[in-house]
Amino acid sequence: IQAVALTDVAFAYPQRPTAPILRHTDLRLRAGERVGIVGPSGAGKSTIIKLIMRWYTPDQGTIAVNDRPITTYSLDQLRQQINDVPQVAQVFDGTLRENLTLRVTAFTDAQLWQVLDWVHLTAAIRRLPDQLATQVSRDRPILSAGEVQRLELARALLHPSSLLILDEPTSNLDVVNEAVILTAVQHHYSGTVILVTHRESSLALCDRVLELNHGQLRPRQHAGNPVETK
Ligand code: ADP
Ligand code: ADP
């Protein structure tokens, strides 16, 4: 199975139709592969992800997930195939349990605490008087930025999906949070992974690394360049 396939994709943002971000872009990921995508800031790495998630439609070419063009899925079906952890995770208004389960009630408490353990959040949540029933909102940040990011990853690990997209999941975080996130993915996620990162250390998770330059994804030539080491 080809987990992700971009074939001859072209894309320009509607506001800047004469400045295409991607042209003749190809990408092939086998099921279960973990691929890092690096490249200069502004190269279009996040744009590729937005296209795979169908936030935007390519001007040309096709995108397939699990051997099916993404246009043949309903948006709900596509969301079930793909989990993403954005660069800046945010809680929504609700309890921690609802944030974790997206209001799907089928999970047992044992499952919830299991994934929370994978992302090292059990101690922080057990410390709260209401534990998983604690009410959170963007205006009421009970968890730190790193903890919210890890909560979001826990949610992704809880909901079965075949593709996990991590777009700079660790760029705002310290090395401890980064290590927790990468280790959890390594040990507890068996699907296909796309990791966009600037951090050389994060790429240890990946089977191979592609570099995006002028719309082209190519195997990265030299380690450490132009990726910054932090
Ligand atoms: P990367 O993730 O590699 O840093 P992006 O995919 O975020 O790059 O952005 C690629 C280019 O597209 C940049 O020049 C950026 O300014 C531009 N861009 C990103 N989002 C939008 C948008 N919503 N509208 C117009 N231009 C955008
Ligand atoms: P971030 O990684 O976003 O910078 P913090 O530095 O605030 O997060 O927290 C780092 C770790 O310290 C977290 O795992 C959190 O569980 C723990 N922690 C945060 N606040 C406390 C506290 N008051 N007592 C004990 N541990 C805490």
Side-chain angles (χ1 to χ4, degrees), residues 13 15-16 21 39-48 50 56 212:
Y13 283 99
Q15 303 93 314
R16 298 185 64 201
I21 309 298
S41 182
K45 303 180 294 294
S46 297
T47 303
I48 288 177
K50 291 180 209 169
Y56 291 92
L212 180 64

Side-chain angles (χ1 to χ4, degrees), residues 3 11 19 24 40 47 62 81 123 136 145 147 153 171 177 190 225 227:
F11 179 74
H24 305 302
T47 303
T62 56
Q81 309 283 323
V136 291
E147 289 169 336
L153 178 63
S171 59
N177 268 301
S190 58
N225 195 11
V227 180

Side-chain angles (χ1 to χ4, degrees), residues 12-158:
Y13 283 99
Q15 303 93 314
R16 298 185 64 201
T18 57
I21 309 298
L22 302 175
R23 268 196 302 190
H24 305 302
T25 306
D26 289 293
L27 172 67
R28 298 261 179 285
L29 301 193
R30 292 186 306 277
E33 249 190 319
R34 296 174 182 157
V35 171
I37 298 183
V38 301
S41 182
K45 303 180 294 294
S46 297
T47 303
I48 288 177
I49 285 170
K50 291 180 209 169
L51 291 171
I52 295 170
M53 312 263 305
R54 232 171 96 189
W55 296 356
Y56 291 92
T57 307
D59 301 323
Q60 182 194 309
T62 56
I63 300 178
V65 167
N66 295 329
D67 291 332
R68 271 179 58 183
I70 55 173
T71 48
T72 67
Y73 294 100
S74 71
L75 279 179
D76 269 358
Q77 288 171 333
L78 189 63
R79 293 292 167 271
Q80 281 162 26
Q81 309 283 323
I82 305 173
N83 267 313
D84 77 312
V85 176
Q87 187 166 355
V88 181
Q90 284 184 323
V91 295
F92 60 81
D93 212 14
T95 63
L96 283 175
R97 179 190 297 276
E98 287 167 333
N99 269 273
L100 194 55
T101 60
L102 291 176
R103 302 195 165 88
V104 175
T105 52
F107 300 109
T108 64
D109 273 24
Q111 286 173 309
L112 300 189
W113 288 107
Q114 172 72 84
V115 295
L116 289 170
D117 183 45
W118 290 344
V119 301
H120 295 207
L121 273 183
T122 46
I125 292 179
R126 285 201 198 281
R127 215 178 282 130
L128 301 167
D130 294 329
Q131 303 206 356
L132 284 174
T134 303
Q135 199 70 31
V136 291
S137 73
R138 289 186 194 189
D139 305 331
R140 197 159 170 257
I142 283 172
L143 304 178
S144 72
E147 289 169 336
V148 172
Q149 201 91 359
R150 284 183 275 141
L151 184 76
E152 190 125 9
L153 178 63
R155 178 202 295 161
L157 296 176
L158 190 64

